Every structure is written in C-alpha cells, then in structure tokens.
C-alpha cells in the first residue's frame, strides 16, 4: 500500500517529461492534414463540369434508346394493323360461299399502306386472283409454295422479310393469313407491301439532318432508311449492328455506317415480329464536348496530384506514432504486457500509450483473480448445460416480488422468440392461449403458496400465430437475501400432442371409412343378387366389374391419402379406357372441383354404370359415337349446387327401357340417397342424357374452395 503514491508520482513525472520532449501536438497534425485534403477537394469540385458532360451524354443515350424502343413498338403496331385486317378479311362470308368476285371488290376498298396489293391463293400455290390486275385475268401459280404450306400447317399469319418478287421485280414484304372454312385451311390470303410504307414511318419522325435511321427485318436487311434509301434499301446492315442484334434485343454500340461514317448507334428489336429500328448519331457531334473539357481535365489532374503529394508528406508525420499505438493496442488485446512510455514525438499519443501500459497491468491482475473463479463456475455450468441440452429443456427463473424473469435461449425458443429477443414474464403470460391462462396462473400461485413443485401443460401462441404445446416444471426457493423466487425448465411438446391427436383421428377415420365402404359393397351385392334371382346371366360379371370400378376409385383416393379427389380425375379414371388417341371421343369440360371421399365413391360408381351402359348399348358401342360430360356450379339455387351433365351422341337409336335396370337403381340409390342429389335420365333417340344435381355442401372438401370456384364458374 505504501508504494501506490510513489508509483502515481513516477507516472506523473514521466508524463511531464514526455510533454516537454513532444515537438508537435495531434491537433496541429490534424489541421495540417485537413488543409492538405481540403485544397484538392475544393479544386476537384471545379471538375463537376465533367460530371455534367457525362450526365448529358447519359441523358442523350437514354432519350435515343427510348426513341429506338418506341419506334420498334411502332413497327409492331403497324404490322399488327395489317395482320388484323388480313384476319378480318379471311373471315369474310363471301369467301366461305365461294363468291370470289364479290370478295375481290371488297378487298379493293380496303385502306392499307400504299402501294399494296392483295392476292388469294390455294394452299398448293394456285392463284385465285390478284388485285393488281382485273378480276378474271389468269395468273401463274405462286412460287412461294413453302410459305403457303407453312401458313396452312401452322394456321397462323406469317410476315416475311424483305425480298424481290420473281414476277414483278419489286422489293416486297408479304403478310400471309389462313382462310379457315369448316376447320380446314381452304385458302391463303396474301398482302404485299412495298418498303415505301416503312419509309413513310421514318419520314414522319423528322430525323435530324446528319443522323441516320433505318428499319431492319428479321434477316437484318434494310427495309427503309432516312439517308439515301434508294442506294441502301435491300442491303444487309453492317456487321457490328448484326452482331449486336444477335447478342441483345436492344442496346448501344459504336459502329460505322454503310456509307463510312463513324456513329454511335442505338437499336431496339420489336418483341412481336423481330423487326428492328436503328438510329445513329455521328461521333463527331458527341466528341466536341469532350474536346472542350479535356484542357480543364488536365489542369484538374495536376492540382489533384499536387494535393495528394502534400497529403502523403503530412501523413508520414502521424503514420509512425499511430503504428506504435496500434502495436500497443494489439498487445493489450492479446493480454500481453505493454512496454513503458517511449516517446512518439506527439503529446497526445504519448499520453494514450501511458494509459495503455497502466491498463495492461491492471487487466493482467484482474484476469489472474478471475480465472480461478471462472474455472469453478464453468465446470458447474457445463454439467447443467449438458443435462438441459440432452432433454431439449430451457431454463428460467422468476422473482415474483420484482417481476424479474430470466430465461435461456432454448426457453425463449419454446415460446417462439429469438435468441437475443427480450422476453418478460408479461410476454409469457400474453403468449398463453386465452383458454389456458387461468389454469396456468392458478398452478403457479398454488406452487408458490404451498411451496410445492410446479407441473403444468398449456398452449402458447407464437408471434407467427402458430399454436404450440409447452410443458413447464419448477420449484420455489428462498435466496441468500431471503427473497422468494421460482426456478424451473420448459419443454415444447407440440409434436407429442399432435401425434396423440393424429392417432385418435386416424382410428376414428379408419372406422368411419371401413363402414362406408362395407355399406357400398353391401348395397351393390344386394342389387346384384336381385338381378341374379331374375335370371340375369351377366349379373356376376357385372358385380365383379363394379367391384373393380370401386377398387379403382379407392386407388384414386389412396394417392391423395383419402383427402378427396378432383371431379375431372374421377371421370378420367372411369372413361379413359374408352378414349381415342386424339382424345376427341370423350370430352370433359368444367371447373376445378375437389370432392369428398364419400362423394368420390358414389360418383365413381355412377359414372362406371353410365360408361358400361354406353359401351354395351349406347354411343361407345360404335366407332363414331361420342360422350360429352360437362359440369358447373350454380349460384342461383339455394343451396348452391353442382350440376353434372352426361350427353351421348353418334350412337344407335335409343329406345325407352321397358323396366328400370340395375344401373339406374344403383345411380339413384347411390347418389340420391348418399349425397341428397337429384338425377334426371332422358332416353332421347339421339342419345342418353343424364343430369345430376347435388348440394355443394355434400361434395366439396373445403367451403372456401367451393365459394372461390363458384364465383369464377357459376352459370
């Protein structure tokens, strides 16, 4: 104790000696550094003109790119206009009736890009007429048979690239549209446009003199050009432009025009037809602003360089002291001893170094004292942590008098909180399910009042609104200061609770489904027995077929874990064996509807009976017979219902049955009784028609899904 005043005196004397030997203060060094940095910054600010130039160039690039993009969309719109006219003309009634002369007169009145002509061809290339010549003049066959066949096969309009007509010698762009009569492409209607139509589009833009704009087709051939179109229309664009269009649908490049002018080119390819619009500005116009700023840029570079040199010289004055302080701080961080106060030639730095040396000595002493205590605590905590982690327990401590609530990360995780998220006892109570709060509060109060153990299970609501089960155990204790507290552990038992609930649910569901299936089989067997008693020789085979159909429906439900099935899947399950390769014999149409398992079984048996009857006596008994099944949700009825219609056509003439057959009985009993529906059978001569109507509540697996489907598809 007697040495401490002496040590403080020595430290003070050492600090005074350092102040006497220091030649410059940290403030002076910093002022010099600020001056060295500020001077170049002020001068660099004068270089803002260059940023202005760059901003102006970017604005020009953006404006020109947007112009190119707008023009490419304009190309699409212009072509779309012609395609739309061709589609409308192709649907003319005069074509369907074969009145070519009347159609010729109508086509002559169409207002399209001028000059143009329209011709009508047969798919094999024979020319019916051409508006360039009077009607009735015999014309040679088209030499574009490949294109005509393509339009016939795709049944879609086709827009050509620029080409030279073999008969007229003109440069043309043609639009070919199919004329579909009775689901067959009977003719090809062709519109021929000259490049002049696209030349007019460029003229309307009033391109600046000296600039160049061009329209390119898909083959990168020039269709129209603002400068010297008579010289360059029909030629392929420059290699740079072709490569750029191949790599991207739009962009900016440096290139040279076909007439040898260096330009900055902006291009955009139309999204619909692949034609491109290109606009170019001579680089000589863009380079003038660069030349004006180059002189000032060189001066600015010299000023900045001088400022950097000055800053480097001043930085050296503080670099060495800073390095010494960094070394001392790093040694302190590594818990190493910091050496005595060697001068850094800067007053403030020497003071900091002395403080670091004193702090190093104090820290080392405290560490030695703490290591002994920590070793004992660490061993105890390791044992406790191992036990808690092994059982996935979170520990907690509650002090009722002060409301202090201490929890571990695992405990907070049990209640849906993050590792570092604040969690008070009020937060815990608020997270408990409202129905369980009274029970939890009573259990805690009794444990504290009776000094007994706490064991309670309750539900909690996590911040994400999910529900979980928690088991909490605890014990009251009196601390060294006489204060009452309770400590314990928490464990999430949601999976165990859910497993218990699932097991009970599965047992109830299994019992219910087995009873339903046995009831269905009993009904089928009873009806089959009556048919057999009436000397029906096919009764046994029909019974086996029905059991097979029931098994197929069970397989369909098994794939969905008995959660129901789509109505369309139920129909396909029974009808696909009778479908043709192009899937035209049996057509299904209706919204997406999910049925309950009981509805799937009942409706599956009914469709099986309808299909069996159609194969034996109805439309599926002949090659040309067809079956259409349509369904919809009706919103006008109360309650809302599902309507399913079975319609046969193309089969033998239907006669009214003399008696009610087994299949009819099965449909009426299985569907009407089980699902509360209504069945109407119509034995019309053209084909059997069956309309089945059921309340949605007995069919749909999800009321929300039923409402959404009804809103979209209700008739």
């Amino acid at each position: 104790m007697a040495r401490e005043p002496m040590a403080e005196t020595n430290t003070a004397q050492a600090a005074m000696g350092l102040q006497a030997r220091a030649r410059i203060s940290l403030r002076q060094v910093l002022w010099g550094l600020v001056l060295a940095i500020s001077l170049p910054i002020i001068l660099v600010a004068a270089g803002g003109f260059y940023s202005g130039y760059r901003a102006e160039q970017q604005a020009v690039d953006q404006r020109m790119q947007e112009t190119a993009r707008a023009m490419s969309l304009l190309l699409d719109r212009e072509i779309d206009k012609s395609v739309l006219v061709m589609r409308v003309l192709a649907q003319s009634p005069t074509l369907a009736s074969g009145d070519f002369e009347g159609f010729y007169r109508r086509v002559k009145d169409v207002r399209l890009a001028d000059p143009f002509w329209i011709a009508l061809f047969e798919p094999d290339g024979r020319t019916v007429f051409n508006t360039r010549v009077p009607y009735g003049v015999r014309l040679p066959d088209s030499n574009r048979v490949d294109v005509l066949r393509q339009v016939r096969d795709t049944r879609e309009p086709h827009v050509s690239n620029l080409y030279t007509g073999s008969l007229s010698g003109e440069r043309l762009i043609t639009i070919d549209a199919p004329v579909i009569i009775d689901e067959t492409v009977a003719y090809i209607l062709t519109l021929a446009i000259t490049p002049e139509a696209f030349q007019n589009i460029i003229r309307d833009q009033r391109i600046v003199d000296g600039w160049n704009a061009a329209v390119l087709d898909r083959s990168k051939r020039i269709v129209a050009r603002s400068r010297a179109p008579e010289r360059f229309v029909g030629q392929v664009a420059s290699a740079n432009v072709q490569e750029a269009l191949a790599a991207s649908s739009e962009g900016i490049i440096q290139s040279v025009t076909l007439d040898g002018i260096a330009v900055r080119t902006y291009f955009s390819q139309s999204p619909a037809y692949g034609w491109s619009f290109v606009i170019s500005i001579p680089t000589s116009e863009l380079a003038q602003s660069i030349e004006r700023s180059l002189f000032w840029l060189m001066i600015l570079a010299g000023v900045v360089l001088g400022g950097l040199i000055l800053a480097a010289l001043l930085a050296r004055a503080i670099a060495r002291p800073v390095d010494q302080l960094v070394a001392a701080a790093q040694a302190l961080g590594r818990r190493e001893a910091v050496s005595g106060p060697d001068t850094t030639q800067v007053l403030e730095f020497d003071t900091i170094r002395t403080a670091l040396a004193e702090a190093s000595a104090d820290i080392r002493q405290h560490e030695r004292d703490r290591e002994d205590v920590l070793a004992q605590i660490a061993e105890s905590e390791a044992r406790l942590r191992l036990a808690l982690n092994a059982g996935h327990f979170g520990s907690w401590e509650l002090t009722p008098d002060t409301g202090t609530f201490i929890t571990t990360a695992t405990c907070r995780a049990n209640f849906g909180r993050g590792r570092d998220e604040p969690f008070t006892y009020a937060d815990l109570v608020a997270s408990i399910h409202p129905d369980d709060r009274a029970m939890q509060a009573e259990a805690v109060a009794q444990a504290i009042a009776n000094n007994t153990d706490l064991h309670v299970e309750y539900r909690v609501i996590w911040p994400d609104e999910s529900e979980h089960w928690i088991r909490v155990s605890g014990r009251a204790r009196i601390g060294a200061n006489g204060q009452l507290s309770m400590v314990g552990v928490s464990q999430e038992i949601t999976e165990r609770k859910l497993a218990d609930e699932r097991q009970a649910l599965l047992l109830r569901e299994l019992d219910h489904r087995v009873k339903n299936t046995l009831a269905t089989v009993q009904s089928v067997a009873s009806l089959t027995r009556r048919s057999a008693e009436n000397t029906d020789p096919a009764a046994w085979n029909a019974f086996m077929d029905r059991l097979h159909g029931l098994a197929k429906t069970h397989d369909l439900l098994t794939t969905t874990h008995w959660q129901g099935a789509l109505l369309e899947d139920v129909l396909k399950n029974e009808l696909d064996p009778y479908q043709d390769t192009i899937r035209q014999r049996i057509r299904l149409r209706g919204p997406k509807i999910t049925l309950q398992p009981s509805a799937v079984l009942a409706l599956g048996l009914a469709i099986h009976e309808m299909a069996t009857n159609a194969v034996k006596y109805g439309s599926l008994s002949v090659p040309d017979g067809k079956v259409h099944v349509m369904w919809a949700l009706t919103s006008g009825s109360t309650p809302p219902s599902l309507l399913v219609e079975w319609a046969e056509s193309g089969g033998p003439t239907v006669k009214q049955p003399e008696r009610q057959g087994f299949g009819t009985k099965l449909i009426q009993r299985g569907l009407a009784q089980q699902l509360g529906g209504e069945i109407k059978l119509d034995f019309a001569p053209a084909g059997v028609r069956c309309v089945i109507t059921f309340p949605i509540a007995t069919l749909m697996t999800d009321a929300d899904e039923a409402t959404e489907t009804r809103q979209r598809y209700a008739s």
Side-chain angles (χ1 to χ4, degrees), residues 524-546 609 612-613 616-617 659-665:
V524 173
S526 176
L527 292 174
T528 304
R529 180 179 61 81
R530 295 176 188 174
S531 298
E533 291 174 353
N534 295 330
T535 66
D536 184 356
W540 176 254
N541 291 335
F543 177 66
M544 295 304 295
D545 288 342
R546 289 171 185 124
E609 293 300 322
T612 302
N613 184 72
K616 289 182 178 180
Y617 315 109
R659 62 183 181 86
Q660 189 180 39
F662 173 79
T664 304
K665 295 179 181 178

Side-chain angles (χ1 to χ4, degrees), residues 228-244:
E230 67 282 356
R231 177 183 173 190
F232 295 103
V233 169
Q235 294 188 25
V236 179
S238 64
N240 290 344
V241 174
Q242 293 186 56
E243 292 175 0

Side-chain angles (χ1 to χ4, degrees), residues 36-37 39-40 302-312:
I37 295 176
L39 182 59
V303 173
V304 171
L305 180 60
L308 292 176
I309 294 174
L310 180 59

Side-chain angles (χ1 to χ4, degrees), residues 178-243:
V179 179
I180 301 175
I181 301 176
D182 295 333
E183 301 298 325
T184 303
V185 178
Y187 304 97
I188 309 298
L189 194 61
T190 300
L191 168 67
I193 306 173
T194 64
E196 187 62 24
F198 297 95
Q199 198 68 40
N200 292 335
I201 295 177
I202 294 181
R203 291 194 190 100
D204 293 341
Q205 306 310 310
R206 299 179 181 178
I207 304 300
V208 177
D209 292 338
W211 294 10
N212 183 47
V215 176
L216 309 180
D217 61 15
R218 289 186 300 274
S219 64
K220 313 302 183 292
R221 192 175 298 277
I222 299 175
V223 178
R225 196 173 190 266
S226 61
R227 291 195 313 199
E230 67 282 356
R231 177 183 173 190
F232 295 103
V233 169
Q235 294 188 25
V236 179
S238 64
N240 290 344
V241 174
Q242 293 186 56
E243 292 175 0

Side-chain angles (χ1 to χ4, degrees), residues 43-319:
L43 296 177
V44 168
F49 68 88
Y50 180 71
S51 298
Y53 159 74
R54 293 296 301 169
E56 180 182 358
Q57 186 182 45
Q58 291 174 0
V60 171
D61 287 346
Q62 182 178 0
R63 185 170 62 254
M64 298 308 297
Q65 187 64 65
E66 290 175 352
T67 300
R69 187 181 304 118
M71 291 304 298
S72 68
L73 295 176
L74 178 61
L75 291 176
D76 272 353
R77 287 197 296 271
E78 291 298 324
I79 296 175
D80 270 336
K81 289 180 184 178
S82 301
V83 171
L84 179 60
V85 170
M86 297 300 287
R87 286 182 182 271
V88 173
L89 291 176
Q91 298 176 3
S92 174
T94 57
L95 275 179
S97 63
D99 184 8
F100 299 131
E101 185 173 1
F103 182 73
Y104 176 89
R105 289 193 300 270
R106 181 185 176 188
V107 168
K108 291 288 287 185
D109 295 333
V110 175
R111 295 291 182 263
L112 290 174
D114 191 31
F116 79 98
W117 50 264
I118 296 178
L120 184 66
F121 300 96
E122 293 182 353
D124 59 359
R126 190 182 72 82
T127 306
V128 179
F129 67 78
N130 190 314
T131 58
R132 295 192 66 182
V133 298
Y135 181 80
V137 175
R138 181 167 181 81
L139 298 170
D141 293 346
S142 173
N143 58 356
R144 301 171 56 250
V145 177
D146 293 340
V147 176
L148 300 181
R149 289 176 179 172
Q150 176 185 348
V151 175
R152 179 196 62 188
D153 295 339
T154 62
R155 304 168 74 94
E156 293 292 334
H158 173 267
V159 180
S160 74
N161 292 321
L162 180 67
Y163 71 95
T164 302
S166 59
L167 299 178
S168 62
E170 295 179 326
R171 293 191 179 95
L172 301 173
I173 300 97
T174 56
I175 300 174
D176 301 281
V179 179
I180 301 175
I181 301 176
D182 295 333
E183 301 298 325
T184 303
V185 178
Y187 304 97
I188 309 298
L189 194 61
T190 300
L191 168 67
I193 306 173
T194 64
E196 187 62 24
F198 297 95
Q199 198 68 40
N200 292 335
I201 295 177
I202 294 181
R203 291 194 190 100
D204 293 341
Q205 306 310 310
R206 299 179 181 178
I207 304 300
V208 177
D209 292 338
W211 294 10
N212 183 47
V215 176
L216 309 180
D217 61 15
R218 289 186 300 274
S219 64
K220 313 302 183 292
R221 192 175 298 277
I222 299 175
V223 178
R225 196 173 190 266
S226 61
R227 291 195 313 199
E230 67 282 356
R231 177 183 173 190
F232 295 103
V233 169
Q235 294 188 25
V236 179
S238 64
N240 290 344
V241 174
Q242 293 186 56
E243 292 175 0
L245 284 170
S248 175
S249 60
E250 64 178 28
I252 306 171
I253 60 170
Q254 296 293 132
S255 63
V256 178
T257 62
L258 295 178
D259 44 359
I261 299 175
V263 292
R264 187 172 179 83
T265 300
Y266 308 84
F267 64 91
S268 180
Q269 192 175 64
S270 68
Y273 296 100
W275 286 40
S276 305
F277 187 85
V278 180
I279 185 168
S280 302
I281 302 176
T283 54
S284 58
E285 295 186 16
L286 299 174
Q288 291 177 357
S289 57
I290 297 178
E291 294 175 357
R292 288 192 299 268
S293 61
L294 183 60
F295 172 76
W296 291 105
L297 184 61
M298 295 299 296
I299 294 178
L300 182 61
V303 173
V304 171
L305 180 60
L308 292 176
I309 294 174
L310 180 59
L313 294 176
L314 292 176
R316 290 183 60 183
I318 62 173

Side-chain angles (χ1 to χ4, degrees), residues 233-507:
V233 169
Q235 294 188 25
V236 179
S238 64
N240 290 344
V241 174
Q242 293 186 56
E243 292 175 0
L245 284 170
S248 175
S249 60
E250 64 178 28
I252 306 171
I253 60 170
Q254 296 293 132
S255 63
V256 178
T257 62
L258 295 178
D259 44 359
I261 299 175
V263 292
R264 187 172 179 83
T265 300
Y266 308 84
F267 64 91
S268 180
Q269 192 175 64
S270 68
Y273 296 100
W275 286 40
S276 305
F277 187 85
V278 180
I279 185 168
S280 302
I281 302 176
T283 54
S284 58
E285 295 186 16
L286 299 174
Q288 291 177 357
S289 57
I290 297 178
E291 294 175 357
R292 288 192 299 268
S293 61
L294 183 60
F295 172 76
W296 291 105
L297 184 61
M298 295 299 296
I299 294 178
L300 182 61
V303 173
V304 171
L305 180 60
L308 292 176
I309 294 174
L310 180 59
L313 294 176
L314 292 176
R316 290 183 60 183
I318 62 173
R320 185 175 300 173
V322 169
D323 290 342
Q324 294 175 359
L325 287 178
V326 169
Q330 290 174 345
L332 182 63
R334 295 191 298 267
R335 302 293 191 270
E336 297 176 356
V338 177
S339 59
D342 295 336
T343 180
T344 60
Q345 305 300 324
V346 178
L347 175 62
E348 289 81 358
F349 290 173
D350 288 341
T351 304
I352 294 173
R353 187 181 182 90
T354 301
L356 290 175
E358 294 175 354
S360 176
D362 293 341
I363 289 174
R364 290 172 63 83
Q365 181 60 42
H366 287 306
E367 285 184 347
R368 284 191 293 269
D369 296 339
R370 191 181 60 168
E371 284 176 358
D372 296 336
V373 177
L374 291 179
Q376 300 174 7
I377 297 176
E379 183 178 358
S380 176
E381 289 184 346
R383 290 195 298 268
L384 176 60
R385 190 180 303 109
L386 181 62
L388 293 176
N389 291 339
H392 300 285
F393 289 101
S395 62
W396 54 270
E397 181 178 359
L398 171 65
T399 305
D401 294 341
T402 62
T404 304
F405 188 52
I406 302 173
T407 58
T408 63
T410 304
C411 179
R412 291 192 291 275
N414 290 339
F415 290 85
R417 266 58 176 188
R419 173 178 294 273
D420 300 321
E421 186 176 352
F423 188 57
T424 64
Y425 189 70
D427 296 332
L428 182 145
V429 174
S431 67
I432 299 175
H433 194 282
D435 296 340
D436 297 345
R437 289 177 186 172
M439 177 264 293
Q440 184 269 349
E442 181 180 359
V444 173
Q446 289 182 357
I448 294 176
N450 302 329
N451 196 22
T452 58
D453 291 346
L454 170 68
H455 297 289
V456 61
E457 295 180 0
Y458 50 79
R459 294 165 293 174
V460 298
I461 307 299
W462 283 16
D464 61 1
E465 303 300 329
S466 60
E467 184 177 290
H468 299 260
W469 278 91
I470 301 296
R471 176 179 175 83
V472 175
S473 299
R475 175 173 294 179
R477 72 181 183 90
I478 304 297
N481 56 357
Q483 193 173 45
L484 174 68
S485 64
M486 177 172 282
V487 296
V489 294
S490 65
Q491 184 182 27
E492 184 185 4
I493 58 172
T494 305
E495 290 298 327
R496 191 190 73 187
K497 286 286 187 179
L498 292 178
D500 295 342
E501 293 176 1
R502 283 196 296 268
Q503 184 178 10
L505 177 63
L506 288 175
L507 290 175

